[in-house]
């Protein structure tokens, strides 16, 4: 007599029904494993490896790419112009640069900052032409904007210590990829503030928003302080302690409070000199848009559209 090897669970394996369950179980496990394996095999075959995080060489956290807003025609005209004129023919601001250097700045920061074609400001048949073509007025405004950027860098960001990073104001710092329709006070930062509230840029800084220990201070002044502090918090994406020792708000022991005073002075200067020179908005170059901390900061302590040190032309920089 042949000895059957002892089986595990004879009451299951020795019946037809039991064997059926075992075979069915094995088949379904194999099929499940195979389909998962095939899914991942296809997934890895068709999905490209994730791109490394974009580190733009020029900007803090803004990309001018893809540059498809610049037409092939404009790029061809640019290359022909560089060949024909290695030195620029009619620059008033960008002095000491070759035509190739100016063109690189135009691509990355002027067209790149506003996301517009060269023809937004130029007659591309002659980049040096100053007037007598449809968009000549834009070139005039753009030149004033270059001078404004230089003024802001040289007289305000230059006062911030090197430890902040030496970042520079350039076209994208305010424009963030839009030529017009800029919104210094969009709904997402106004949130709980009255819609017509603006930074009180008629006040003097430091001192304009000081309220502590003053018996003469009105409710309106207290409210202005609170609204301005809220505006700064949201614009910078920070809490009160980014700038303050929250146990004693009047003190200046945190450097960012001093940096903010310089920034308040700069914002006031933009308002008085470029939005409403002599109190007349119609004379300004910024379409009457009163600047805010948000205009540049966009919820970050360093504006995403700021240029890294050494990227803006020396004549426009605080660190020539
Ligand atoms: C927002 C307006 C604007 C845009 C867009 C623009 N430029 Fe300019 N460009 C200017 C201004 C203003 C000047 C004069 C700067 C000066 O006076 O120093 C200038 C000067 C130049 C010059 C020097 C011309 C000379 O010989 O005097 C070149 C070359 C040039 N731009 C190329 C380009 C190219 C290429 C593009 C597109 C990639 C472009 N620009 C986009 C405003 C613009
Ligand atoms: C301090 C902020 C700021 C900076 C820096 C700045 N701009 Fe402007 N610019 C503005 C504002 C605000 C307007 C008005 C936009 C609007 O109509 O909403 C404007 C308008 C313009 C316009 C007119 C656009 C149109 O079609 O009406 C041009 C051209 C322009 N800027 C070019 C530049 C260039 C080039 C640079 C860099 C050299 C620059 N700007 C830097 C704030 C700025
Ligand atoms: C980005 C920096 C910044 C942030 C964030 C900020 N503050 Fe301020 N705060 C300042 C500056 C600068 C002044 C001084 C303004 C002046 O001199 O007119 C000031 C002044 C004050 C004062 C008046 C101090 C005095 O001397 O009377 C109070 C109170 C105050 N802040 C509270 C707050 C509160 C509460 C928050 C958070 C909701 C806050 N701040 C967030 C920069 C900041
Ligand atoms: C025209 C653009 C612009 C406007 C408007 C602006 N800032 Fe700035 N801010 C900058 C740039 C660019 C830097 C970085 C400068 C550097 O690296 O030296 C900066 C840096 C700062 C810093 C230093 C951050 C740190 O980590 O120490 C503070 C604080 C600051 N801004 C506060 C403000 C406040 C408050 C306002 C509104 C009253 C304001 N800024 C408005 C462009 C702007």
């Amino acid at each position: 007599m042949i000895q059957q090897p002892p089986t595990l669970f004879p009451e299951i394996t020795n019946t037809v029904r039991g064997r059926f369950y075992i075979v069915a179980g094995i088949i379904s496990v194999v099929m499940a494993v195979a389909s998962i394996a095939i899914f991942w095999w296809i997934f890895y075959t068709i999905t490209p490896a994730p791109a490394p995080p974009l580190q733009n060489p020029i900007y803090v956290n803004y990309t001018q790419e893809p540059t498809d807003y610049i037409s092939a025609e404009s790029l061809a005209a640019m290359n022909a112009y560089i060949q024909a004129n290695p030195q620029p023919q009619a620059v008033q601001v960008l002095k000491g640069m070759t035509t190739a250097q100016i063109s690189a700045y135009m691509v990355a920061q002027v067209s790149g900052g506003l996301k517009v074609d060269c023809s937004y400001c130029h007659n591309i048949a002659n980049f040096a032409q100053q007037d007598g073509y449809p968009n000549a007025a834009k070139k005039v405004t753009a030149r004033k904007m270059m001078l404004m950027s230089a003024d802001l860098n040289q007289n305000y960001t230059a006062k911030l210590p090197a430890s902040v990073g030496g970042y520079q104001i350039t076209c994208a710092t305010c424009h963030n990829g839009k030529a017009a329709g800029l919104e210094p006070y969009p709904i997402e930062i106004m949130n709980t503030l009255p819609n017509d509230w603006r930074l009180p840029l008629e006040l003097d800084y430091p001192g304009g928003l000081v309220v502590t220990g003053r018996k003469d201070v009105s409710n309106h002044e207290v409210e202005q302080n609170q609204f301005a502090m809220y505006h700064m918090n949201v614009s910078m994406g920070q809490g009160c302690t980014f700038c303050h020792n929250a146990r004693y708000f009047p003190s200046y022991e945190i450097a960012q409070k001093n940096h903010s005073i310089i920034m308040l002075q700069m914002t006031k200067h933009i308002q008085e000199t470029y939005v409403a020179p002599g109190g007349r908005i119609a004379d300004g170059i910024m379409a009457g848009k009163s600047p805010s901390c948000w205009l540049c900061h966009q919820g970050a302590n360093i504006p995403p559209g700021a240029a890294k040190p050494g990227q803006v032309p020396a004549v426009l920089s605080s660190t020539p």
Side-chain angles (χ1 to χ4, degrees):
M1 227 190 109
I2 300 164
Q3 274 260 267
Q4 287 284 336
T7 45
L8 247 41
F9 311 114
E11 64 287 0
I12 299 177
T13 50
N14 287 346
T15 64
V16 173
R17 182 174 280 260
R19 286 186 192 144
F20 169 77
Y21 282 137
I22 289 174
V23 172
I26 290 172
I27 290 173
S28 25
V29 168
V30 167
M31 284 181 65
V33 170
S35 50
I36 291 170
I38 289 170
F39 171 80
W40 286 109
W41 178 71
I42 294 173
F43 182 83
Y44 282 117
T45 314
I46 62 169
T47 317
L54 193 110
Q55 263 286 353
N56 191 295
I58 296 167
Y59 295 104
V60 170
N61 192 12
Y62 168 86
T63 177
Q64 77 278 30
E65 275 150 6
T67 52
D68 51 8
Y69 45 83
I70 304 178
S71 72
E73 205 189 347
S74 292
L75 289 177
M78 173 184 88
N79 288 328
Y81 188 84
I82 296 172
Q83 289 287 312
N85 306 283
Q87 293 301 321
Q89 302 302 300
V91 294
Q92 296 171 26
V93 182
L94 304 171
K95 294 186 179 144
M97 294 168 79
T98 64
T99 309
Q101 288 169 330
I102 291 175
S103 300
Y105 164 69
M106 292 286 153
V107 169
Q109 296 184 48
V110 180
S111 273
L114 279 61
K115 299 214 165 152
V116 293
D117 186 57
C118 315
S119 59
Y120 196 77
C121 303
H122 287 288
N123 169 10
I124 62 166
N126 176 11
F127 286 98
Q129 194 172 332
Q130 307 286 357
D131 43 37
Y133 62 99
N135 281 350
K138 301 283 190 211
K139 189 175 182 185
V140 173
T141 305
R143 186 179 282 120
K144 290 180 181 163
M145 293 265 159
M146 286 171 197
L147 290 168
M148 169 173 71
S149 306
D151 169 23
L152 302 181
N153 283 329
Q154 287 157 11
N155 295 311
Y156 295 95
T157 53
K159 289 187 188 151
L160 296 176
S163 58
V164 174
Y167 298 106
Q168 299 290 307
I169 291 169
T170 185
C171 317
T173 317
C174 296
H175 282 269
N176 279 297
K178 283 201 307 190
L182 305 191
E183 288 186 87
Y185 289 91
I187 188 71
E188 65 258 44
I189 64 150
M190 294 308 283
N191 209 355
T192 58
L193 297 181
N195 278 343
D196 60 351
W197 185 82
R198 296 293 175 263
L199 269 177
L201 297 175
E202 68 285 1
L203 304 178
D204 284 329
Y205 296 103
L209 292 168
V210 166
V211 289
T212 310
R214 281 177 51 192
K215 292 212 171 73
D216 59 326
V217 75
S218 66
N219 279 346
H220 175 72
E221 285 164 290
V222 174
E223 204 176 62
Q224 282 292 23
N225 171 296
Q226 289 179 0
F227 289 170
M229 294 304 137
Y230 174 80
H231 172 86
M232 291 191 201
N233 264 19
V234 183
S235 299
M236 311 287 293
Q238 302 287 342
C240 313
T241 55
F242 183 64
C243 298
H244 290 287
N245 169 353
R247 274 171 292 177
Y248 192 57
F249 283 94
S251 74
Y252 273 85
E253 67 212 74
I254 294 179
Q256 274 70 21
K257 188 174 177 188
N258 290 298
H259 302 166
S260 298
I261 292 287
I262 295 165
M263 288 283 142
L264 278 162
Q265 291 167 346
M266 178 177 80
T267 311
K268 181 181 165 78
H269 174 74
I270 295 172
Q271 171 70 18
E272 289 176 351
T273 314
Y274 301 105
V275 179
R280 275 173 48 95
I281 291 232
D283 296 341
I285 55 169
M286 285 179 48
K289 305 273 168 89
S290 281
S292 64
C293 310
W294 175 271
L295 176 66
C296 299
H297 281 273
Q298 309 269 318
N301 60 330
I302 301 294
K308 291 179 182 169
Q311 296 297 335
V312 304
V315 287
L316 306 181
S317 166
S318 70
T319 50

